């Protein structure tokens, strides 16, 4: 069965001097402020579309990798994934780099890297972001 998750943003003012609030409607986890300076300069306690994409990508990738490893008979004990989303004003999102470190009993480094590459290729967020260069560093703990 398909699911839909919803968030909304209220923006006030011009791009460079205005600001907004992102509300996480489906989960009810609250609101986060967003502004152009938090996106293109320093975060200063505010989020950005790129940080939200990084959160979505790191969690989706972790789920896909866990699923793949478990299906192969080597379920992970722990996966720690970081997603770095690079934004260049005037160009847009220029790349995403995933870094994963895993604890997977019974699996060697080559097997882990192969499973991570498969998860990178097949997680739904990676597929949604297919027009963006996505790179990966994977290693066992």
């Amino acid at each position: 069965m398909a699911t839909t998750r919803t968030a909304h943003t209220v923006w006030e003012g011009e791009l460079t001097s205005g600001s907004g609030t992102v509300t996480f409607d489906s989960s009810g986890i609250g609101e986060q402020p967003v502004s152009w300076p938090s996106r293109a300069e320093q975060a200063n306690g505010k989020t950005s579309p790129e940080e939200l994409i990084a959160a979505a990508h790191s969690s989706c990738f972790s789920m896909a990798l866990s699923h793949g490893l478990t299906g192969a008979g080597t379920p992970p004990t722990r996966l720690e994934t970081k997603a770095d989303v690079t934004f260049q004003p005037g160009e847009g999102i220029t790349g995403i780099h995933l870094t994963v470190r895993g604890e997977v009993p019974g699996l060697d480094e080559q097997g882990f890297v192969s499973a991570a590459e498969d998860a990178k290729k097949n997680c739904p967020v990676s597929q949604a972001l297919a027009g963006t260069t996505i790179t990966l560093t994977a290693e066992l703990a």
Side-chain angles (χ1 to χ4, degrees), residues 57 60 118-132 134:
H57 205 176
C60 183
D118 187 63
K120 179 188 83 160
K121 176 182 169 191
N122 293 307
C123 96
V125 172
S126 288
Q127 291 177 349
L129 300 170
T132 302
I134 302 170

Side-chain angles (χ1 to χ4, degrees), residues 53 56-62 64-65 81 83 96-98 116-136:
I53 289 170
H57 205 176
S58 66
S59 59
C60 183
F61 171 86
S62 294
L65 181 54
T81 305
I96 300 171
H97 185 75
L98 298 169
E117 286 288 349
D118 187 63
K120 179 188 83 160
K121 176 182 169 191
N122 293 307
C123 96
V125 172
S126 288
Q127 291 177 349
L129 300 170
T132 302
T133 300
I134 302 170
T135 56
L136 172 70

Side-chain angles (χ1 to χ4, degrees), residues 61-105:
F61 171 86
S62 294
M63 290 180 200
L65 181 54
S66 176
H67 180 68
L69 290 167
T70 300
T74 53
T77 302
R78 177 181 166 88
L79 298 171
E80 184 175 336
T81 305
K82 179 175 77 163
D84 295 306
V85 177
T86 302
F87 173 72
Q88 178 64 47
E91 276 185 66
I93 294 173
T94 58
I96 300 171
H97 185 75
L98 298 169
T99 303
V100 62
R101 186 171 173 92
E103 295 174 15
V104 187

Side-chain angles (χ1 to χ4, degrees), residues 4-31:
T4 300
R5 299 293 182 253
T6 305
H8 76 274
T9 300
V10 175
W11 186 268
E12 296 177 350
E14 298 177 16
L15 174 62
T16 58
S17 62
S19 63
T21 302
V22 177
T23 302
F24 299 90
D25 300 312
S26 298
S27 64
I29 60 172
E31 301 176 341

